[in-house]
Amino acid sequence: MDYSKLKTADIIHLNNKELSEYIYSIQDQLQMKLSSGLSIDDIIDQEDPFEGLEPILPQEVYPILVLAMINNIRSDTVMEAILEGLQKGIKQYNKSN
């Protein structure tokens, strides 16, 4: 699946395995850009990699996601916390729309 163009409306229909793949895909792209010498500020100014997740990611989980992506952290514990937060956020998002 091509995760590069997913919007929030697409993301809310992903299962946990697909959500993990999506997050790792964003992380891989972000790491490539950071490795090329761009700063996180440069990357976000050009294209916000977290844009599709922002409406469904609870505030308390957002910093965990960003720090995990920037620091290339891929532990199961961190991913479980992110997925749990996303599932909670998707339920809230679906209730309000």
Side-chain angles (χ1 to χ4, degrees):
M1 177 182 285
D2 179 16
Y3 293 110
S4 62
K5 303 292 182 206
L6 291 184
K7 304 285 184 221
T8 304
D10 304 313
I11 297 167
I12 62 171
H13 298 290
L14 299 178
N15 61 38
N16 275 355
K17 182 179 185 299
E18 293 166 327
L19 283 169
S20 293
E21 291 171 0
Y22 173 66
I23 290 166
Y24 288 139
S25 171
I26 294 171
Q27 189 173 22
D28 290 342
Q29 292 171 22
L30 186 63
Q31 288 301 313
M32 282 189 338
K33 291 176 182 179
L34 289 169
S35 295
S36 75
L38 291 173
S39 72
I40 190 66
D41 292 330
D42 294 335
I43 295 166
I44 291 174
D45 285 346
Q46 292 174 8
E47 178 184 348
D48 186 353
F50 313 111
E51 184 177 354
L53 293 170
E54 287 173 6
I56 57 174
L57 197 63
Q59 242 182 332
E60 65 272 11
V61 181
Y62 189 77
I64 296 169
L65 173 76
V66 173
L67 289 172
M69 288 197 172
I70 292 170
N71 294 307
N72 205 21
I73 298 168
R74 295 175 180 253
S75 75
D76 290 341
T77 305
V78 171
M79 182 54 72
E80 286 171 16
I82 293 168
L83 291 175
E84 187 177 304
L86 281 171
Q87 290 302 334
K88 179 180 165 187
I90 288 169
K91 285 179 186 168
Q92 289 294 98
Y93 181 85
N94 285 333
K95 283 181 186 177
S96 64
N97 290 324

